[in-house]
Each structure stands twice: as C-alpha cells, then as structure tokens.
Amino acid sequence: MYANKILLAEDDTTDAEFFQRALSRLDSPPELVWCKSGTEAYLGLTGQDDASALPRLAILDIKMPGMNGLELLEKIKSDERTKNLPVIIMSSSDEPQDIARAYDCGANGYLVKPNRFQDLRDLVGSIHTFWIKTNRLKPLHD
Amino acid sequence: MQINHDPVARSVREVYPYRVDLENCDHEPLRHIQVVQAFACLIAADAGSLTVRYVSENTDRYLGIDWQDIIDQPLSRIFSRDLIEQIGLGLSREDGFESLNPIQTFFRIDGQQSLKNVIVHRDGSRILLEIENATEDLQTSGYQQLLARAVARIQNISNHDRLFTETATIIRQLTGYDRVMVYRFDKDYNGEVIAEALADDLEPFFGLHYPHTDIPKQARELYLKNRVRLISDISQSPSRVHSSEAVTDEYLDLTMAGSRGVSPIHLEYLGYMGVNNSLSVAIVLGDRLWGLFALHHYSPKNVDYALRNLLQFIGQIFSGHLSLQAAGRYREQTLTRNLVRLAIGEHITKTRDLFTGLLEGKYTLLNIFNDTTGAVINFEGRQETKGETPPMEDILGLIDWVNNNGVDHDSLIYSNDSVSRDYPAFAPHCDIAAGVMIIYFNPDHADWICWFRPGLTRKITWGGKPEKEEILSREGTRRLGPRRSFQRYVETMEGCSAPWQQAEIDAAYTLRITIINSMIQHYAEVKQINERLKKAYEDLETFSYTVSHDLRAPLRAINGYAEILEEEFREVLTDDARTLIMGIQRGVDQMNTFITDILELSRVGSGGLKLSPVDVAPLVSEVVNESRPVYAREEDFAVRVDKDLPPVVADRRLLRQLYTNLISNALKYMQADEDGSLGIAVGYRRPEEGFEPTIYTVSNTGPGIEDEYRDTIFQMFSRISSNSKTEGTGIGLAIVERIVSRHNGKVWVTNDGLGVTFNFYLDPENQHTFDSDGRDRVSGAA
C-alpha cells in the first residue's frame, strides 16, 4: 500500500547525509526522500492524490527555517490524507519541554540526535526494524 | 432695651451725617464723620489754589479766627508767610509732609503768642491742615533721646515671651498712660490682651478676649492707613466740619486726619469702660493688622503730636522685631519639618515600602506636625494606622463624607480644625480627632493620608458678653449700641483642635510631593530591574537553545565524519592517522561535556522550584550507581553511603543534579591517603540544637583544599590546578553553588572527614515541617 520510502525533513545537509549513510548500511534499505524544509515536505506529502505514494514514515527535525518541524507535524496530523502517517521528531534538544511539546502535537516518537555516528546507525536500525518492517505486516490505518 | 436719656446719641446726632442702626452697622462710614475732636481744629484747602473749602467750627480756639472768616479764603490770608512757604515745600516734595510735620508756629490768640503744631496731609487734590496745641517743654531733641532709648530696649529683648510685657512697660514709662495693653487679633479678628502694664490700682485686663465686633472691619482698615489713633477726652464735644458752598462732593474724607471724629458707638463704648483718653497704635505684620498697642487713661491727658509720632515709630520697630522673631521661628519649624520630610522620603526609598517608610523610621508621619494623636495611611486598598485613631470604619466614613462634601473635586488637601461641626457623626471622637488633615496622592482621591489632632477644651474669658445691644430710643428708632457689660464672661469651646497653620498645610503638601517622588523613584527602579531580569531570562533561554542545538550540530559533523573516515578507510589508514582521528573524537567528547554542563547550569537558574520532601538515601544510591562506572580506575576504592540520610525538602531534579556533581567531583579528585585508603563517603551531620538544618556531606580521601581556594572553587570555570590530570569543565561546583543558593542554603568546604568534605544545607525555613527523625510532622509521612 505504501511505498518503501522514508521522508526526512532536515535543513542541515550534514545531518541529512549522516542519516542517508546510516540508512544505506541496512539490508534492503528503504528509499530516502529528503526535503530541505518543512514547506517542501508538506507539499510533497499532500501534492498527490495517490495514497500509495505516501512514505511509510516521516522523520522531522524541529528547528527549520520557515515551517518548523512541529508546525509540519500538526499539519500532517490534522490532514485526513496524512493523519495516519507515523511521524518521528528528531532533534538535538533533550529539553523535557521540547519532548513534551512534540508528543502534544501528535508525534509518534521523539529521538535525540546522537552525537556519535555509531549511535545514529544503531538508532536508524531500530527505527527501520520497528516502523518499517513491523508495520509492513500490520498496516497502520484502520 | 429702651433708654430715655441718651446723651451721647443726642450730642453727636446733630453733627453726624448718618443714622447708624441695625440695618447698616457694618457699613458705618467712619471716615465720613464730619466732626473733629476738640483737641485740634481742621482746615481743608484746594491743593492748587490753596483756598479753604472745609473748616471746623473751633478755629477761634486754635487760631483766634472764627471759622466763617476762614471758609473760601486763601490760606495766605490766615497763615504767616513762613508757614505758606513750608506748605509749598511739602507740596513739591515726593514724600509730601512726612518729614515736615509738625510745623511749629506761633499764633496770636487773645493777645498771647501761643505755640501750635500744624500737621499737614495731602489727600489727592486737597490738603488737610490740623492745628493743635504744642507742648513747649518737650523739645525735639528730647523725643529723639527717648525714642533711641526705647528702640534700643525693645530690640534688645531676645526672649519672645517677654517681648510683649516689656514693650508695654516701656511704652507706659514713655507716655505715662494709666494702662498700656498689647492687644492681639486672632484669625477672625477677635482680640486678646496678651500683655499689659498698668497703674497699681487698676484691675488687670490681661488674658481677656474681646469679640471682633469691638473693632469693626472699617475701623481696622483705617488703622492700616493711619497707624495712630488718639481719642482725647471723650467728655468734650466734637466740632462740626463746615464745607464751602463751592464744593460739590458731599463729604470730606478724614482718613488721614488725626483729629477725625469718633463714632458715637465707640464713644459710648469707651464711656461705659470709664476711659477718658484712648490712644491706639497699629501693629502691622505684612499687610495684616496683627494687633494694637492700646493705651487707656482714665482722666484727660494731653498727648503731643511728637509723642504720637514717636509711638507710631515704636509700633513699626516692634512690628519689625516681631516679624524677625516670627520669621526665625517659622524658619526653625520649617527646617525641622523639612528634615523630617526628607528623612521620611529617604526611608521610603531605602525600604522600598510606603508603609514602612512612613510608619517605622526614626521619623514618622507623627513627627511632621505638633499635637497629632494619630494618622492613617490608605494606599492601594491597605490601611495602616499610627498612634491613636478612631476605629477604621469611622475613619472610612469620614473620608467618604469628605470626598463627597468637604473637599473640592480635584483638590489634593483638606484640613479642618473642627470636623464634627461639619460632620456630626465624628463628634464621639472629638477627644482624639477633633481636627483632621488629609492629603490625597491623586486627584481621584483613592489613596490618602489622614492626620488627627486632639480636641481642646478652650476656656475663653471675654471682657464682657460678646454681643452688641439693640437700643430702642424713645422716638422708636432702633440703633446699635455698644456692649455695656464688661463683666467677665467665661465661654467654654469644645470640639476644636489647635488650628492647622498655613505652614502646616504647606508642609503636608510638600510631604505629598516627597512621597510621590520617592514612590515614583522606587517603582521606576523596580520596573527597570524587572525588565532587566526578564531580558536576562529571555537571553538565557535563547542561550540554552543555541547551545543545545547550534553548537552541537557542528560537533556532530566533526565526530560523524571522523567516525565514517575511520570506519570506511580502516584498511588504508596508518596507525598514526587513526591516533589523530581519536584525538579529534576526544576533543569533541570534551566539548560535548562542556555543553551539557553549561546547559545544566542555565537550567538551574530558570524555572520555579518544585519543592517536595525528598528521600535522600535512595537518590544518592542511584547517583552513585550511575557515576561509579564513569570514574572507574585500576585501584579498588570504597563508596560509603549513610543509609539513614534524613529526607530534605527540595526540588528533586535539582537535588539529584547537586549530588551528581558533588559525587562526580569527589570520585574525580579522590587520592589515596597515607594509609593507602581510597574512596568517598556520603553522609550528614546531625543538627546541633533545635531546628538547625541538617548538614549533608560528601567527602573524599585526599589532601585538603588550601584556604585561598575555599571560596573560589565554587566560581565558574575555576579549577584549582590547570595542569591536573583529571578532566573537568570547572562548572560542576558552580552548578552546586547555584542549586544550593536557589534553595536559600549554603555550601562550603572543610578539610575533614576522609580528607576533603563538601558540606551543604538547604533552606532552613522549609525544613521545619520535619522533625529530626525526618518525619513529616504535618502528614506523618517520612
């Protein structure tokens, strides 16, 4: 039903590159759709009527110019077409209020960007296992 | 009352142009009385032509010429050439006749040469000439000597209380009058005899009060223009003043004439008192009639013009002396009030509290005025009293009344020395609050200060019942008679406080300005500080955010690339290259620690404290378990945690941070001591007595900390040794210090326990809900 794709909204080129590298080390990695801003990501998600073209997972950075990650999250969760899309917020902040705010906006998960690349690789592995592999067996919607 | 024979009325009626009765008594036109007293004759002439237009009937007595021979004649037909020259001189002088009077001239009367004083006044287009007997044996030089001595004596009186009596004595010696009184007016022009010098056989009038009607308004106005008033021998009939047919104006204005006729009412009044001769000298302060020297003689007495002149001068000297003394006293009182006012203003600024500033300093509201029983402040809905005051609800009732009835819409001050007269509900509080003074901070009258003055029971001894009588004559006309009764009459006045002086009202007004300035200054300061703090907190939040996000991103890049490099090019990298990459990563780790610590520090400062009782022992065990592996080393070391660490009221998150930092610090810096033992201990010192707070300790083995570093180790970025092998940011203990001070506690270091011990306690006020067993006395929970 969904394409084997992950959407990443991240304005930092380096972080995006690390994510891509970490993802590429997986067995049969999903395709990464990288959007450099919240607006770009939103247009990408809502610009087509074909639900099957939606990614399996969206990973959003909080701090982005223009529409930030939380605003994008709210739009995703309030749009009929995208409300079932699992969204993980990924941020360098471990402030409790940032985490709480993300969940208040409807995030399915909150992850602190690891400082070490090794840790990022492990985290991306876990995300892949849980959100892509597991959910493929049990479709989320309805 | 009806009297059949009214001699005074009869004798004056012929010459007195008005009927004075109850309908017009206030306007009795004294200066238009067209008679002169018997001690002088009067001639008024045109100032230009020097032709006589008015003349009194008694000229033959003083000039030896009938008045009919004088009217309409030029002055040169009557007077010598010398005198005419003097008149010409006076008319040409700017100060008129002041320095020429009296012009002494001989007149031939009944074949005798007789020395007369001619006193000349210019009044617009007329000149008035009065001719009276001169005393030959009193030469000018004699007067000057007398005068000089009297003035010197008066000016030497430094004691205010003695000034009046001594001056009265001096005047009596100078004039020989039976009685000399110093008569002072109050604000309503009731009079009081405040000093007296008198012949031995007379009854003293000292202390007696006289109603303002005794010296009516028009008489007081005349005193301001012509300061000396002689009423000589009331038994002699006055002389009528005749006018020329050529004059068109009805009456001659006799204001400046010393011999001006006397009101029949006043003559009657003197007659009842038994006085034959009365001489009054005005004492004028500023533009106001302050009082009189009132001289009474009971038998006829000749008073030379020169002596009257001299008394006028003494009156002026006395006024000057009095105003100097009054100014001195005023200055002194004003100075005192200003000092009090400034002290209060300073205290408000210093204590940053209006109530404390006004009520609790060395000087308070009650020091501003004399004789205040108490005061109330009402500010922003809160009331505080000082001293003795009526109950608050009654005060609020009064204020309500004043706001609605007593005070002008936007007036900022109200004073009343008899408030119950206008607001009868306040009558029960007369003893402590007969007088009130209110200042308002703002025109809306919402905030105010109110002072109370006690009621005085004043006994006033009147020199007779203070009412004029209505006399009904046989002809059936009513006229006003003077008081006949001089029986002492004691009146008791209640419900009045000492009057609020203008200076006091001014002082209240300036106090208001002082208070407002102090408050404005205070509020401005607080506002400024608040804004700065707000800005600082905002800055701090931005700072934290910047640190957590923007600083970490490039570090992640450095670290990530280094790791990828190391991983993907493992085969081609030499050992040297790999060591260099590890160096990069170590640097990044250190930087990350730094950032974490700075974030922690900034978190300590912001946000509210969530205080709750915290069980310390389990928390410490947790922290130890987390920290221990981080500081693992080759040697074995002991970590001892006291199991009965008492609970403490604290913010749990911050307390955890506090212990994390202290324990990390101890683990980091512990060194084996002489016995070879190595370790840390977490414990407490029992409170010494009562509710002293429990002191918690974290101790480690190792050398003590030198005195000079005891305080500085808690400062930011301070590390005792820069080349220490141990790593650290120098922020850990600064965080400890900040956490402790946010809990109103204290942290310090001692060289005891295992070697070095960090001690702290948290807010003793918060710990009181716990007893020494650590049980919560309120809830019973440990």
Side-chain angles (χ1 to χ4, degrees):
Chain A
M1 191 158 189
Y2 293 107
N4 189 19
K5 286 192 289 190
I6 292 180
L7 179 134
L8 174 69
E10 171 64 83
D11 65 314
D12 188 315
T13 316
T14 310
D15 280 345
E17 187 188 340
F18 286 166
F19 196 89
Q20 170 67 68
R21 278 176 181 273
L23 199 64
S24 65
R25 303 219 175 168
L26 301 174
D27 301 334
S28 65
E31 184 193 341
L32 183 73
V33 180
W34 173 36
C35 302
K36 285 201 74 167
S37 73
T39 316
E40 190 187 324
Y42 183 66
L43 291 176
L45 285 171
T46 57
Q48 45 199 320
D49 297 332
D50 183 5
S52 65
L54 283 177
R56 294 189 176 282
L57 178 68
I59 294 175
L60 315 180
D61 184 23
I62 292 185
K63 202 186 157 204
M64 287 186 289
M67 189 191 293
N68 72 31
L70 296 181
E71 286 163 2
L72 175 57
L73 171 60
E74 282 186 320
K75 281 197 185 301
I76 290 172
K77 290 298 175 186
S78 59
D79 192 314
E80 273 302 318
R81 291 167 293 178
T82 54
K83 66 173 185 187
N84 290 324
L85 173 68
V87 179
I88 291 174
I89 294 295
M90 210 160 179
S91 165
S92 43
S93 165
D94 58 352
E95 296 285 332
Q97 64 261 38
D98 284 343
I99 298 172
R101 213 178 301 145
Y103 282 111
D104 285 348
C105 292
N108 300 84
Y110 186 100
L111 298 170
V112 178
K113 286 179 184 171
N115 289 326
R116 291 175 164 276
F117 179 68
Q118 183 60 52
D119 296 339
L120 178 66
R121 234 165 45 189
D122 294 349
L123 197 62
V124 169
S126 310
I127 291 171
H128 184 251
T129 307
F130 182 74
W131 289 107
I132 312 288
K133 283 186 183 164
T134 314
N135 286 326
R136 190 169 1 195
L137 303 175
K138 276 197 289 175
L140 251 174
H141 69 290
D142 302 323
Chain B
M1 123 180 276
Q2 171 140 9
I3 47 173
N4 293 327
H5 183 61
D6 191 353
V8 181
R10 199 201 58 215
S11 71
V12 194
R13 196 162 297 132
E14 301 158 5
V15 290
Y16 190 62
Y18 296 105
R19 214 185 61 203
V20 175
D21 53 34
L22 283 174
E23 280 76 42
N24 69 358
C25 65
D26 276 349
H27 306 287
E28 191 188 2
L30 300 175
R31 65 201 157 89
H32 286 169
I33 292 173
Q34 299 295 290
V35 295
V36 293
Q37 295 180 61
F39 71 84
C41 73
L42 178 127
I43 296 172
D46 281 337
S49 64
L50 298 186
T51 310
V52 175
R53 297 302 184 198
Y54 296 88
V55 64
S56 64
E57 283 175 342
N58 57 349
T59 48
D60 63 327
R61 193 172 149 203
Y62 293 94
L63 301 172
I65 314 172
D66 281 343
W67 69 271
Q68 290 93 339
D69 297 337
I70 291 176
I71 194 90
D72 290 326
Q73 296 299 312
L75 287 180
S76 54
R77 292 275 300 273
I78 309 153
F79 296 127
S80 67
R81 181 169 303 168
D82 266 5
L83 185 56
I84 297 297
E85 271 174 20
Q86 297 269 357
I87 291 169
L89 192 60
L91 284 172
S92 68
R93 281 192 182 178
E94 267 195 33
D95 67 339
F97 295 89
E98 204 163 304
S99 55
L100 293 174
N101 285 332
I103 305 166
Q104 295 206 314
T105 312
F106 282 98
F107 289 92
R108 175 168 287 275
I109 298 160
D110 299 335
Q112 300 270 315
Q113 287 287 358
S114 175
L115 183 65
K116 305 292 178 196
N117 284 330
V118 179
I119 301 127
V120 193
H121 292 285
R122 176 159 189 178
D123 184 9
S125 62
R126 296 231 164 77
I127 55 172
L128 300 178
L129 298 105
E130 291 169 280
I131 301 95
E132 58 180 64
N133 291 327
T135 316
E136 282 176 65
D137 55 351
L138 261 177
Q139 294 305 313
T140 316
S141 63
Y143 274 120
Q144 275 171 356
Q145 261 184 9
L146 276 175
L147 179 68
R149 235 180 295 149
V151 166
R153 281 175 67 189
I154 291 170
Q155 288 182 330
N156 275 335
I157 306 168
S158 55
N159 185 328
H160 182 258
D161 297 334
R162 276 174 31 220
L163 175 65
F164 305 118
T165 312
E166 293 205 5
T167 305
T169 309
I170 290 165
I171 292 174
R172 183 159 182 261
Q173 286 167 352
L174 206 59
T175 59
Y177 266 79
D178 289 336
R179 183 193 300 273
V180 177
M181 295 173 279
V182 181
Y183 188 83
R184 185 174 62 190
F185 294 113
D186 68 11
K187 67 178 190 338
D188 302 320
Y189 288 102
N190 294 310
E192 181 188 356
V193 178
I194 61 164
E196 188 178 34
L198 72 171
D200 295 339
D201 54 342
L202 292 178
E203 179 199 6
F205 287 174
F206 176 74
L208 290 185
H209 289 252
Y210 295 87
H212 62 94
T213 48
D214 275 17
I215 300 173
K217 184 161 176 275
Q218 63 274 35
R220 294 194 301 266
E221 276 167 6
L222 286 170
Y223 272 121
L224 289 174
K225 291 186 183 142
N226 195 348
R227 303 249 169 123
V228 178
R229 176 69 171 149
L230 172 67
I231 296 168
S232 179
D233 199 347
I234 66 163
S235 63
Q236 291 196 42
S237 293
S239 297
R240 183 172 188 165
V241 176
H242 294 277
S243 58
S244 154
E245 298 193 346
V247 292
T248 48
D249 34 347
E250 218 175 338
Y251 303 114
L252 178 64
D253 186 334
L254 287 171
T255 300
M256 299 313 292
S259 58
R260 173 170 54 82
V262 185
S263 151
I265 293 178
H266 189 61
L267 280 176
E268 211 172 346
Y269 175 84
L270 291 174
Y272 290 134
M273 288 219 294
V275 172
N276 174 275
N277 178 308
S278 149
L279 177 59
S280 305
V281 182
I283 305 167
V284 179
L285 272 195
D287 291 332
R288 188 179 189 273
L289 189 61
W290 176 92
L292 300 170
F293 292 129
L295 285 64
H296 285 176
H297 207 68
Y298 294 87
S299 52
K301 182 170 177 59
N302 187 30
V303 185
D304 191 87
Y305 176 80
L307 186 63
R308 276 140 53 201
N309 225 359
L310 185 148
L311 282 173
Q312 171 168 358
F313 189 66
I314 288 179
Q316 281 165 353
I317 295 291
F318 182 81
S319 301
H321 199 58
L322 204 61
S323 63
L324 264 182
Q325 287 206 349
R329 271 205 319 285
Y330 182 86
R331 207 167 41 238
E332 207 173 290
Q333 285 173 351
T334 309
L335 200 65
T336 312
R337 278 197 204 99
N338 282 348
L339 282 177
V340 171
R341 183 168 58 78
L342 291 178
I344 287 177
E346 231 169 74
H347 202 232
I348 294 173
T349 311
K350 209 167 78 187
T351 59
R352 301 176 176 282
D353 183 83
L354 181 72
F355 290 94
T356 317
L358 286 170
L359 300 174
E360 284 166 28
K362 183 179 172 198
Y363 296 104
T364 71
L365 275 185
L366 300 188
N367 299 110
I368 296 271
F369 312 116
N370 299 328
D371 311 325
T372 38
T373 36
V376 200
I377 307 169
N378 176 85
F379 185 68
E380 294 181 341
R382 173 181 161 201
Q383 292 102 28
E384 291 280 342
T385 63
K386 177 99 185 167
E388 211 181 337
T389 64
M392 187 57 68
E393 54 184 275
D394 292 4
I395 296 175
L396 295 178
L398 167 76
I399 297 287
D400 209 40
W401 178 84
V402 171
N403 288 354
N404 290 318
N405 307 286
V407 68
D408 286 341
H409 181 58
D410 49 1
S411 171
L412 295 167
I413 199 152
Y414 173 82
S415 67
N416 190 336
D417 54 22
S418 177
V419 72
S420 64
R421 191 178 50 206
D422 301 322
Y423 178 59
F426 227 55
H429 305 304
C430 256
D431 48 340
I432 57 168
V436 299
M437 162 100 81
I438 302 167
I439 55 172
Y440 296 97
F441 291 127
N442 295 305
D444 67 5
H445 293 173
D447 297 321
W448 40 263
I449 296 177
C450 176
W451 286 267
F452 299 109
R453 223 167 220 187
L456 302 174
T457 304
R458 273 191 297 195
K459 278 197 165 61
I460 298 184
T461 308
W462 296 101
K465 236 180 172 335
E467 286 123 30
K468 284 198 178 182
E469 284 180 58
E470 194 181 328
I471 297 170
L472 200 63
S473 69
R474 199 162 46 175
E475 296 86 25
T477 56
R478 296 182 306 158
R479 72 174 179 87
L480 196 62
R483 300 192 290 116
R484 287 151 192 273
S485 157
F486 293 92
Q487 287 291 307
R488 293 186 176 202
Y489 170 78
V490 178
E491 192 182 8
T492 307
M493 308 264 285
E494 277 175 338
C496 268
S497 72
W500 297 101
Q501 308 287 348
Q502 187 56 46
E504 293 176 313
I505 293 169
D506 293 347
Y509 199 81
T510 32
L511 176 70
R512 175 189 164 272
I513 293 166
T514 306
I515 292 172
I516 286 176
N517 284 344
S518 306
M519 287 196 311
I520 286 172
Q521 195 183 339
H522 166 58
Y523 280 124
E525 271 172 26
V526 169
K527 204 176 159 201
Q528 210 175 359
I529 290 169
N530 277 342
E531 265 162 19
R532 270 194 228 139
L533 278 178
K534 217 172 132 191
K535 182 79 173 55
Y537 273 119
E538 281 168 7
D539 287 352
L540 195 66
E541 271 181 23
T542 316
F543 170 75
S544 310
Y545 206 75
T546 309
V547 167
S548 61
H549 296 79
D550 300 349
L551 284 188
R552 275 186 168 154
L555 279 178
R556 262 198 319 275
I558 297 167
N559 197 47
Y561 287 126
E563 262 186 76
I564 294 165
L565 184 65
E566 204 255 335
E567 244 179 57
E568 296 191 354
F569 298 89
R570 192 184 296 266
E571 281 77 30
V572 293
L573 286 175
T574 62
D575 284 355
D576 247 7
R578 273 199 295 277
T579 314
L580 294 177
I581 290 172
M582 276 162 65
I584 293 172
Q585 289 173 332
R586 221 178 20 250
V588 171
D589 283 346
Q590 226 171 325
M591 189 73 183
N592 268 322
T593 316
F594 236 126
I595 291 171
T596 310
D597 281 1
I598 289 174
L599 259 178
E600 281 304 335
L601 185 67
S602 70
R603 277 177 189 158
V604 171
S606 59
L609 288 183
K610 289 182 202 134
L611 292 178
S612 65
V614 180
D615 218 347
V616 179
L619 182 138
V620 168
S621 302
E622 248 174 69
V623 172
V624 166
N625 291 339
E626 275 173 22
S627 310
R628 196 172 187 155
V630 179
Y631 297 93
R633 28 174 122 186
E634 287 163 13
E635 316 96 295
D636 270 351
F637 60 88
V639 175
R640 212 178 68 227
V641 178
D642 201 326
K643 289 298 166 211
D644 37 274
L645 275 167
V648 70
V649 172
D651 182 301
R652 172 176 268 279
R653 190 177 67 84
L654 292 182
L655 186 67
R656 196 172 200 286
Q657 183 74 44
L658 168 63
Y659 266 114
T660 304
N661 290 16
L662 282 179
I663 289 169
S664 304
N665 187 72
L667 288 170
K668 207 185 290 176
Y669 291 100
M670 67 183 174
Q671 289 176 38
D673 61 18
E674 285 144 9
D675 314 336
S677 48
L678 180 68
I680 70 165
V682 183
Y684 69 101
R685 302 179 203 265
R686 289 192 175 280
E688 281 170 16
E689 54 182 78
F691 289 121
E692 294 289 313
T694 306
I695 296 164
Y696 297 84
T697 57
V698 176
S699 186
N700 64 272
T701 55
I705 288 173
E706 288 165 46
D707 286 355
E708 54 177 314
Y709 296 120
R710 293 259 174 108
D711 294 324
T712 55
I713 55 168
F714 294 108
Q715 290 169 9
M716 280 269 251
F717 305 117
S718 81
R719 295 177 64 203
I720 295 172
S721 165
S722 56
N723 58 0
S724 164
K725 284 175 290 174
T726 50
E727 288 176 355
T729 56
I731 299 175
L733 290 178
I735 293 175
V736 166
E737 205 276 335
R738 216 179 259 198
I739 292 174
V740 168
S741 54
R742 282 216 68 196
H743 284 83
N744 293 328
K746 201 184 157 201
V747 59
W748 68 101
V749 65
T750 50
N751 291 332
D752 57 3
L754 298 179
V756 182
T757 301
F758 285 83
N759 309 267
F760 72 89
Y761 65 78
L762 303 183
D763 196 347
E765 294 292 317
N766 285 336
Q767 311 308 328
H768 282 190
T769 46
F770 291 87
D771 58 27
S772 53
D773 295 335
R775 300 217 175 273
D776 184 338
R777 276 194 237 130
V778 180
S779 66

